[in-house]
Amino acid sequence: DGGITQSPKYLFRKEGQNVTLSCEQNLNHDAMYWYRQDPGQGLRLIYYSQIVNDFQKGDIAEGYSVSREKKESFPLTVTSAQKNPTAFYLCASSIGRVQPQHFGDGTRLSIL
Amino acid sequence: GESVGLHLPTLSVQEGDNSIINCAYSNSASDYFIWYKQESGKGPQFIIDIRSNMDKRQGQRVTVLLNKTVKHLSLQIAATQPGDSAVYFCAENSNSGYALNFGKGTSLLVTP
């Protein structure tokens, strides 16, 4: 079945460590997105990519980095500069602009 | 600035009743709106969307109403079932047309 796969489901980060969250889609969508969700809150945009080799900062990009080398993949790195990384991270994709975004089931990141 | 908000943080309805979840938006330039359902520990699931050139759109048991005059969006769920219990988010497209701005969500609880 087509969809979005995020891995791992749970991830723990040590102080000073960078961690990378995986997001893969087989929907043949051009656009991909990363959102952060804190408890009892809506989703906030970290980064998005309209097309391969291009990405744009969202509202809360500080302390995060992304790459888009392949259409199917949009990994997110949470760097040590992100001082409050504990959250639920959601990846999404869409055919293009002004189209529904389809989400994966998220990665929950915690600090050791 | 842009904001998407909800009038009620929680809503409790009896099984079989109709549910109405409301949402206010502030960006009059938004031309696309979307509703998501999120169950605990999962990613948001697309329910229905509507473009600004429409006032109403119907799906299976769901209807979205858009009132551009007062910048108000609502989701109506007919014959609410226990499986409808979840958090519901409204979202509007950002100025780029790609990313979505999410509200904080309404928790819907369906009681027998």
Side-chain angles (χ1 to χ4, degrees):
Chain A
D1 286 351
I4 299 177
T5 301
Q6 291 189 241
S7 62
K9 190 169 179 64
Y10 300 95
L11 186 59
F12 297 91
R13 195 191 88 170
K14 296 179 181 178
E15 291 288 339
Q17 185 182 44
N18 295 350
V19 291
T20 298
L21 284 59
S22 171
C23 177
E24 303 279 332
Q25 55 101 358
N26 60 5
L27 299 167
N28 200 33
H29 286 173
D30 283 320
M32 296 188 73
Y33 312 81
W34 275 105
Y35 292 90
R36 168 179 171 143
Q37 187 175 31
D38 291 286
Q41 300 292 316
L43 283 64
R44 292 184 291 166
L45 181 69
I46 305 173
Y47 270 97
Y48 71 98
S49 168
Q50 299 175 22
I51 199 167
V52 174
N53 293 323
D54 178 74
F55 48 83
Q56 307 294 328
K57 291 183 179 180
D59 300 323
I60 56 167
E62 185 174 350
Y64 300 97
S65 65
V66 293
S67 62
R68 185 86 187 278
E69 297 176 1
K70 298 188 299 181
K71 187 175 186 178
E72 302 79 19
S73 179
F74 192 40
L76 173 74
T77 296
V78 183
T79 75
S80 57
Q82 172 50 244
K83 298 307 179 188
N84 184 22
T86 298
F88 190 44
Y89 290 88
L90 288 156
C91 178
S93 70
S94 68
I95 294 172
R97 70 184 297 277
V98 201
Q99 295 289 336
Q101 293 180 17
H102 300 272
F103 285 83
D105 275 339
T107 292
R108 192 167 299 279
L109 176 62
S110 303
I111 299 300
L112 283 177
Chain B
E2 296 181 35
S3 68
V4 179
L6 295 170
H7 294 307
L8 296 173
T10 60
L11 179 64
S12 183
V13 299
Q14 284 199 313
E15 183 178 357
D17 287 352
N18 296 334
S19 303
I20 300 176
I21 302 172
N22 295 303
C23 179
Y25 66 94
S26 61
N27 185 3
S28 56
S30 294
D31 60 1
Y32 180 71
F33 304 88
I34 190 167
W35 282 97
Y36 285 96
K37 171 187 180 183
Q38 187 178 27
E39 297 175 316
S40 181
K42 294 191 174 183
Q45 177 186 355
F46 169 74
I47 301 173
I48 193 167
D49 59 358
I50 188 168
R51 298 180 190 273
S52 59
N53 60 353
M54 302 173 69
D55 296 325
K56 179 180 179 179
R57 192 166 186 222
Q58 289 184 292
Q60 188 176 13
R61 282 202 306 121
V62 295
T63 300
V64 56
L65 298 177
L66 176 62
N67 186 330
K68 294 179 287 293
T69 302
V70 296
K71 288 186 268 186
H72 185 267
L73 189 69
S74 68
L75 177 70
Q76 300 178 1
I77 305 174
T80 314
Q81 302 168 0
D84 294 327
S85 293
V87 176
Y88 289 80
F89 292 97
C90 65
E92 60 181 337
N93 65 322
S94 65
N95 289 335
S96 72
Y98 277 91
L100 296 171
N101 293 325
F102 282 80
K104 286 186 166 57
T106 291
S107 178
L108 176 65
L109 177 63
V110 182
T111 57

